[in-house]
Amino acid sequence: MPDVDTHPLEVARRLAEDGDLDGAAAIFAELAADADGPDRAQAAVGLAVVLQERGDVPGARAAARTALATGHPEFAAQAACLLAESFESEDMTDQARAAWQAALGLGNPGYAPLAHMALARLAADEREAEEALRAALATEDPEIASRAAQRLAEFLLEEGEAGEAADVLLEALAVPDVADPPRLRVLLGVAHLELACAEFEGAVEEGGDVETSALAIELLARTLPLRGRDEDAGRVWDYGLGHADERLAAQVRLRRDRDLL
């Protein structure tokens, strides 16, 4: 038996831990029903959790909404997350998105990283997803910022925005204790490869002296395969080898055929 001075919330918590979900729910429900009670928000969250464990999804959502309505910076935020996760589990995307937005609206920075990542996952379009990922990165949460930066960089690379991708990855690497820095650095290297290819290609298109043009063709042709673009590399070699300037074509042939140690 609990001590007579034990707070009802603690009693309910112990009952829940001991598997007496009905007993815990009764106490939580009584506290949550007191509109002026100081423990209403916390009790409503506890009730939502207990009812969820009992399989009473509608009841759990109703309890979570009660907690959310209190506007409590901690327990209302917890309730919003519970609602969002419940809706996501049933593919109720619009409702889940609204719940995550509600969590953000409560202004508790502890829940912002998770909410922004969820909104990126549930985004209606690429623009919305990009905005949510940038917001998640800006929270500087070590784990979330890394995940957000990786997803955003991969998207930007696919869109041909290697410079922006590099900026995103550098921002993530500047986050204290950021998670998975090796992966971030690999992606940064990929972004730099893309930037290098763009510069080499620009040099080839603009033309120059024979030595510079031959070097640009070689560097472009040898870099493209690192990005899985073997066919493009072959076309670059063919362009150089068949160039109208015989001096340039000869230089390219020498560069292609030499052994690189």
Side-chain angles (χ1 to χ4, degrees), residues 8 15 25 29 33 45 77 81 95 97 103 117-118 121 139 146 155 168 175 186-187 195 222 227 233 239 241 243:
L15 289 172
V45 170
C81 293
Q95 293 89 332
R97 188 184 295 116
M117 282 301 290
R121 182 173 62 249
T139 67
S146 179
F155 167 74
V168 163
V175 172
V186 166
L187 286 172
L195 289 170
R222 295 194 185 281
R227 297 293 294 125
Y239 167 80
L241 293 170
H243 201 278

Side-chain angles (χ1 to χ4, degrees), residues 18-209:
D18 291 339
D20 186 357
L21 300 183
D22 290 340
I27 296 174
F28 281 137
E30 182 177 354
L31 294 172
D34 184 356
D36 298 321
D39 300 316
R40 189 183 198 203
Q42 186 175 359
V45 170
L47 180 59
V49 172
V50 169
L51 293 178
Q52 185 73 35
E53 291 183 11
R54 283 173 44 180
D56 182 1
V57 174
R61 289 175 181 168
R65 288 190 179 96
T66 296
L68 180 57
T70 67
H72 192 284
E74 176 62 28
F75 300 116
Q78 288 185 21
C81 293
L82 288 172
L83 274 173
E85 291 166 356
S86 175
F87 289 135
E88 280 199 60
S89 70
E90 295 186 12
D91 294 325
M92 300 171 68
T93 303
D94 291 341
Q95 293 89 332
R97 188 184 295 116
W100 286 120
Q101 290 285 7
L104 285 175
L106 290 162
N108 187 328
Y111 294 89
L114 184 64
H116 284 307
M117 282 301 290
L119 288 170
R121 182 173 62 249
L122 300 172
D125 53 46
E126 291 180 349
R127 179 193 60 78
E128 191 175 295
E130 181 178 345
E131 290 178 356
L133 289 171
R134 289 186 184 278
L137 173 58
T139 67
E140 296 193 346
D141 177 271
E143 178 65 34
I144 297 296
S146 179
R147 287 166 49 198
Q150 290 176 46
R151 284 188 55 188
L152 184 54
E154 289 167 354
F155 167 74
L156 290 169
L157 286 169
E158 290 175 0
E159 294 297 307
E161 300 292 343
E164 281 195 50
D167 290 343
V168 163
L169 293 162
L170 288 171
E171 182 179 349
L173 285 166
V175 172
D177 300 318
V178 70
D180 202 6
R183 175 62 180 170
L184 294 171
R185 293 193 184 282
V186 166
L187 286 172
L188 181 58
V190 170
H192 285 162
L193 282 176
E194 290 289 350
L195 289 170
C197 286
E199 295 300 330
F200 296 149
E201 186 175 358
V204 171
E205 291 176 349
E206 291 174 3
D209 59 74

